[in-house]
Amino acid sequence: VDSTNNYAKTIAASGAPHGTAVIADTQTGGRGRLGRSFLSPPGAGLYLSVVLRPQVDSAQALLLTSAAAVAVCRAVDRFVKAPAQIKWVNDVYLGGKKLCGILTEAVSDLESGHVEFVVIGIGINLTCAAFPEELKEIAVSLEEYREGKVGRGALAAAVLEELEQVCGQLDTAAFMQEYKRRSCVIGKRVKAIRAGISREVFIEDIDDTGALLVRNEAGEPECINSGEISIRFF
Ligand code: BTN
């Protein structure tokens, strides 16, 4: 496939049921957040997209992004000893490098607020061997934290199990405590980038909607709920 998310969206539009999973060995057009590409060489990772039809309003559905990050961390913890951490908004890190990216896409009715379906796309590195040098500097794989190989089937099963758990908690957002506990950005000075504008902020906390509570350069409190942050320069 070009992208498991594209494939999942196509079959979801023709009625694929809640819980349908699409898994590829490789992707020719793997997609990341903010229009970026996601390198997906054959056999190098788990490339998984899940179709969800959550029976919640759009505000609660937004929490799926944070929920998916927690689910991936719990699944990764089953395979390695180092604790999986979350870099806002939903990258999963091991030892300070990116292990997994998550791309959440939704189709909803803007007038009623009804969410027709959500596709959660998850890419977890199993090996970085085929990555270019500049990517190897910022990416990590499960292979580096484990003696034996991690089977993609077993990893996919673990992710799907954990995803099912957290998806049942969208009404209470019970997983947000764990999201915060696993965050590697709280208490850090970072570069916040939104609409091409970058500035330095200090992250004080993350609220229960997943938004960053920060102090800006003028020392004023602010809430950031879109864009991205960079922790590499501080
Ligand atoms: C990111 O890091 O910006 C998000 C990356 C998401 C990659 C996964 S791999 C499976 C699914 N299919 C895609 O095209 N993207 C997601």
Side-chain angles (χ1 to χ4, degrees), residues 91-164:
D91 286 342
V92 174
Y93 271 50
L94 264 188
K97 288 178 160 190
K98 180 163 166 172
L99 174 78
C100 163
I102 302 174
L103 175 66
T104 310
E105 300 180 285
V107 168
S108 60
D109 182 331
L110 281 181
E111 278 178 22
S112 66
H114 173 70
V115 181
E116 198 189 322
F117 64 81
V118 175
V119 168
I120 300 186
I122 297 169
I124 304 178
N125 302 328
L126 290 185
T127 171
C128 295
F131 285 2
E133 285 310 314
E134 67 272 18
L135 210 54
K136 280 184 185 161
E137 275 169 30
I138 52 171
V140 72
S141 70
L142 285 180
E143 176 182 84
E144 292 159 60
Y145 277 82
R146 235 180 101 97
E147 298 257 304
K149 278 208 167 11
V150 175
R152 281 181 294 178
L155 182 60
V159 170
L160 291 169
E161 261 174 34
E162 298 293 355
L163 204 51
E164 191 171 21

Side-chain angles (χ1 to χ4, degrees), residues 5-46:
N5 262 38
N6 290 352
Y7 191 88
K9 282 199 288 185
T10 304
I11 59 172
S14 2
H18 176 75
T20 302
V22 178
I23 301 175
D25 175 58
T26 179
Q27 303 181 107
T28 54
R31 294 190 292 110
R33 290 184 66 239
L34 308 169
R36 299 199 182 107
S37 59
F38 188 81
L39 193 63
S40 318
L46 173 67

Side-chain angles (χ1 to χ4, degrees), residues 88 183-193 199-206 211-224 229-231 234:
W88 191 86
S183 168
C184 59
V185 302
I186 295 176
K188 292 229 168 78
R189 188 161 290 286
V190 304
K191 206 155 83 171
I193 307 137
R199 64 219 170 87
E200 209 180 301
V201 298
F202 178 78
I203 302 180
E204 294 189 322
D205 206 353
I206 294 174
L212 292 176
L213 304 176
V214 307
R215 290 267 158 197
N216 65 21
E217 284 147 313
E220 297 152 345
E222 249 188 67
C223 178
I224 298 181
I229 56 169
S230 170
I231 50 178
F234 299 99

